[in-house]
Amino acid sequence: MELGRRGRKRQLELEDEYWRLILAGVGTVEACRRVGIGRKTGYRWRAERGGILLARVAEASRSSRYLSLLERQRIATLHERGHGVREIARARPTHGANAPAS
């Protein structure tokens, strides 16, 4: 018997939109309503992140050399779904410096 993650899978697009609204000054209840999630989900996301999404705020200042948190999460999701590393790499857009020589 395979043990999987409990609960629903994360919806990264919804969570990103929720955090954009929060960072823009919209209240939690209103952000939840606009995104279409339950109020409890919004409060849980805030509690999990300590109230503010520090990792993504800091990403604006990070070097493009490293993967963003969102990119790492998407890669992990694809890996969990059984995609191989080469398949994941082909699906990712490449930076000009990392593109293969023609």
Side-chain angles (χ1 to χ4, degrees):
M1 182 167 118
E2 184 179 319
L3 295 176
R5 246 178 79 165
R6 291 177 43 185
R8 299 181 89 185
K9 292 189 178 182
R10 287 214 96 110
Q11 297 173 325
L12 297 177
E13 294 83 18
L14 288 179
E15 196 169 344
D16 287 344
E17 181 60 26
Y18 169 81
W19 283 109
R20 274 192 284 281
L21 290 168
I22 294 297
L23 291 172
V26 176
T28 299
V29 175
E30 178 62 19
C32 292
R33 188 188 65 72
R34 289 185 191 179
V35 174
I37 60 172
R39 181 181 48 84
K40 288 184 178 183
T41 300
Y43 282 115
R44 188 184 76 243
W45 287 349
R46 285 184 73 112
E48 287 172 354
R49 300 287 192 267
I52 189 162
L53 191 55
L54 296 175
R56 295 199 188 158
V57 172
E59 292 207 13
S61 62
R62 75 168 170 78
S63 166
S64 62
R65 175 180 178 185
Y66 302 101
L67 295 173
S68 70
L69 175 62
L70 183 60
E71 289 170 317
R72 292 192 306 268
Q73 289 173 330
R74 288 189 173 142
I75 289 169
T77 300
L78 290 172
H79 183 69
E80 284 176 358
R81 292 181 181 169
H83 296 276
V85 292
R86 290 183 178 154
E87 185 179 3
I88 294 170
R90 279 193 299 269
R92 282 196 64 242
T94 58
H95 184 273
N98 298 331
S102 300

